[in-house]
Amino acid sequence: MAKYVCEPCGYVYDPEVGDPDSGIAPGTAFEDIPEDWVCPVCGVGKDMFVEE
């Protein structure tokens, strides 16, 4: 699974790790994250992420 980078802050979403603090389980593909999820570092939406 591909990793995605938040363009404004550089946070990397790694599907193998997920985002447990936001309720995203390890193994969750970026495409499967709910549309209302935001970057845990800077708070921007999924539309600000690019595939690494």
Side-chain angles (χ1 to χ4, degrees), residues 1-25:
M1 286 188 279
K3 294 179 183 178
Y4 285 77
V5 179
C6 178
E7 289 192 295
C9 76
Y11 168 80
V12 176
Y13 175 77
D14 182 346
E16 292 182 16
V17 176
D19 181 15
D21 292 341
S22 298
I24 308 299

Side-chain angles (χ1 to χ4, degrees), residues 11 26 30 46:
Y11 168 80
F30 188 78
K46 285 179 66 176

